[in-house]
Amino acid sequence: MDWKWEGSAQKTESRAPQEHEIALDSPGEDGVSESFQLLQIDVGCERWEQEALPTGSATWCSKNVQRKQRHWEKIVAAKKSKRKQEKERRKANRVENPGIYPQHSKRFLRSLIKERLLEAKHSGPRLCIDLSMTNHMSKKELSRLAGQIRRLYGSNKKADRPFWICLTGFTTDSPLYEECLRMNDGFSSYLLDITEEDCFSLFPLETLVYLTPDSEHELNVDLDTVYILGGLVDESIQKKVTLQKAQEHSVKTARLPIQEYMVKCQNGKNYHSVILTINQVFDILSTYFETQNWPEALKKGVSSRKGYVLQNSVE
């Protein structure tokens, strides 16, 4: 009896290590053993990832990770603070000027903008953007032009007296059209006209005025005129291209009265230019329509980086 009990106990004690050895080191089952070890590692990693690490834990996070986390938290906090300040500023403006800052829903404002733009189609001033000269422009230049069209349209939506805009010489299979779709959200639903026709065939020639900095005539703004802007960007500008095109079609030209109301200012690069982007020219036109004041309108569109300032600011 004693011998049997001792043998049974010895057999019981040795069973556990034998089973462990069979599970991990049994002959011919190296692949199973390795898979079991990897499974143990994966389970341990998953458990570690699910557990919440204490903030600032130097045990688990490297200094680089902590630094990036602090930097990201600062960015998020700054954005929240900026949004809060902007919200408070708008709220204060509504309280101080209830007539100027009425509380309307976004849906109502979108409806109001749409109504104004459609009204401009029938009774507002007209603006054509001549896009027939974009064939030889690089992708970078097309991207810049697409951005200018977006900013121009955005300014027009905010105007009290918006223009009706027509993009002429503009084909839907052109690289510029694809760039406008890529860069401008909702471009296909813009409230404007898009046509492949040339601007000179859409309207009577006597109603057209091509705006070009090379013109000898100062601009005179009125509702009966259809204004044309050349769709070019700084890199691709060649001298007198728009002037020559207008002369070929016997169309009147005009320039903004920059020289009449502004003077050159000193700058480190000795740079002076009256060539503006189409959205800058539009900002000037739109502001003048609302204010009938050239100095105020020019200040809106001609930045000091062009090397010009208003005369009274020098005096």
Side-chain angles (χ1 to χ4, degrees):
M1 293 294 292
D2 294 339
W3 177 85
K4 289 183 179 180
W5 179 86
E6 291 176 357
S8 177
Q10 184 178 4
K11 184 177 181 180
T12 303
E13 292 174 356
S14 61
R15 183 179 301 168
Q18 287 176 356
E19 290 177 351
H20 182 70
E21 290 172 2
I22 291 173
L24 297 180
D25 302 319
S26 59
E29 295 181 355
D30 293 339
V32 176
S33 173
E34 184 178 356
S35 300
F36 185 76
Q37 292 175 353
L38 291 175
L39 179 61
Q40 287 182 319
I41 295 174
D42 290 342
V43 172
C45 291
E46 183 177 356
R47 185 181 302 128
W48 176 79
E49 290 174 354
Q50 291 177 351
E51 292 176 356
L53 293 177
T55 305
S57 175
T59 305
W60 301 105
C61 297
S62 66
K63 291 184 179 179
N64 188 42
V65 172
Q66 294 180 52
R67 179 181 59 80
K68 290 182 178 180
Q69 179 66 20
R70 287 194 298 268
H71 179 67
W72 175 249
E73 290 174 353
K74 287 181 181 179
I75 293 176
V76 173
K79 289 183 177 180
K80 288 183 178 179
S81 177
K82 187 176 180 180
R83 285 196 296 266
K84 183 177 180 181
Q85 292 176 1
E86 181 63 21
K87 185 176 180 180
E88 292 176 352
R89 184 187 66 81
R90 290 197 300 265
K91 184 177 180 180
N93 286 336
R94 287 195 296 266
V95 173
E96 295 176 1
N97 306 283
I100 301 177
Y101 298 93
Q103 296 185 9
H104 295 305
S105 65
K106 292 183 178 180
R107 183 176 180 180
F108 174 82
L109 293 176
R110 285 195 297 266
S111 176
L112 181 62
I113 291 171
K114 182 178 180 179
E115 181 181 344
R116 286 178 178 175
L117 290 175
L118 293 177
E119 183 180 349
K121 184 174 184 178
H122 301 287
S123 59
R126 296 178 178 271
L127 179 73
C128 288
I129 303 178
D130 182 9
L131 300 175
S132 62
M133 299 174 285
T134 61
N135 296 332
H136 303 290
M137 292 171 60
S138 66
K139 185 173 181 179
K140 178 183 177 182
E141 293 167 346
L142 293 175
S143 297
R144 292 191 60 183
L145 182 56
Q148 292 173 18
I149 292 173
R150 180 186 67 247
R151 288 189 287 272
L152 187 153
Y153 183 74
S155 296
N156 194 44
K157 290 199 303 182
K158 297 176 183 178
D160 293 333
R161 298 179 62 188
F163 282 66
W164 182 250
I165 299 170
C166 185
L167 306 181
T168 64
F170 194 28
T171 58
T172 55
D173 60 349
S174 64
L176 176 60
Y177 188 84
E178 294 177 359
E179 199 67 13
C180 286
L181 289 176
R182 185 184 69 85
M183 293 188 59
N184 307 339
D185 293 337
F187 176 76
S188 57
S189 60
Y190 278 10
L191 289 176
L192 45 73
D193 283 333
I194 295 178
T195 176
E196 298 180 5
E197 294 187 59
D198 197 277
C199 55
F200 304 107
S201 61
L202 289 175
F203 305 96
L205 295 180
E206 61 271 15
T207 65
L208 299 177
V209 172
Y210 211 120
L211 299 182
T212 169
D214 300 309
S215 176
E216 298 178 354
H217 309 288
E218 181 182 342
L219 176 61
N220 183 23
V221 178
D222 61 72
L223 282 172
D224 298 327
T225 300
V226 180
Y227 301 97
I228 305 173
L229 299 180
L232 295 171
V233 295
D234 293 346
E235 289 93 341
S236 64
I237 284 180
Q238 302 176 20
K239 290 185 178 181
K240 300 184 178 181
V241 172
T242 52
L243 177 63
Q244 293 173 358
K245 189 169 184 180
Q247 291 174 344
E248 289 174 2
H249 293 83
S250 301
V251 168
K252 292 179 289 186
T253 63
R255 58 172 175 79
L256 297 172
I258 296 177
Q259 289 88 343
E260 284 73 16
Y261 293 93
M262 308 187 82
V263 294
K264 293 181 179 179
C265 62
Q266 294 182 353
N267 55 69
K269 297 182 180 179
N270 194 28
Y271 174 76
H272 303 88
S273 175
V274 294
I275 298 174
L276 306 176
T277 62
I278 58 173
N279 59 290
Q280 289 172 334
V281 176
F282 175 78
D283 286 341
I284 295 172
L285 280 177
S286 179
T287 304
Y288 183 78
F289 260 93
E290 294 181 5
T291 64
Q292 298 294 307
N293 185 305
W294 275 121
E296 185 174 345
L298 292 170
K299 184 179 179 181
K300 182 79 174 181
V302 183
S303 67
S304 58
R305 290 175 301 195
K306 291 292 182 179
Y308 283 88
V309 294
L310 292 172
Q311 293 179 357
N312 55 7
S313 63
V314 176
E315 297 172 359

